[in-house]
Amino acid sequence: VEDTLIAQKMALRMLTDLNCQVDIASDGQTAVQLASEQIYDLIFMDIGLPDIDGYEVTKRIRQQEANKETPV
């Protein structure tokens, strides 16, 4: 979860080079939506997002997870 385009591109490149499948959310609401639609092994979270801060996004993701706490 990252709102800065350059940081998104850099993270995408580094993670795909490590053979990771990557989804990018540029705001907190999108991150919460994506996390409700599929299971992730790991979430990299920006704290300073334009709509909801990363702490609140993590809290919302935790509330919708059933019996799993994805590392954030």
Side-chain angles (χ1 to χ4, degrees):
V1 184
E2 174 59 61
D3 60 328
T4 306
L5 185 59
I6 292 171
Q8 287 176 0
K9 288 181 179 183
M10 192 170 81
L12 179 64
R13 178 65 182 262
M14 289 175 17
L15 292 168
T16 54
D17 284 351
L18 295 170
N19 296 316
C20 296
Q21 181 180 351
V22 179
D23 292 325
I24 296 176
S26 20
D27 59 57
Q29 188 60 42
T30 303
V32 172
Q33 182 65 36
L34 286 172
S36 73
E37 297 172 352
Q38 56 193 18
I39 296 172
Y40 290 98
D41 295 321
L42 178 67
I43 298 173
F44 287 104
M45 181 70 64
D46 183 3
I47 299 302
L49 297 168
D51 58 344
I52 311 167
D53 71 55
Y55 297 111
E56 180 64 25
V57 175
T58 301
K59 179 180 172 185
R60 292 181 189 186
I61 290 170
R62 292 275 183 261
Q63 289 172 344
Q64 67 189 18
E65 287 182 315
N67 301 322
K68 182 179 192 257
E69 283 198 7
T70 305
V72 178

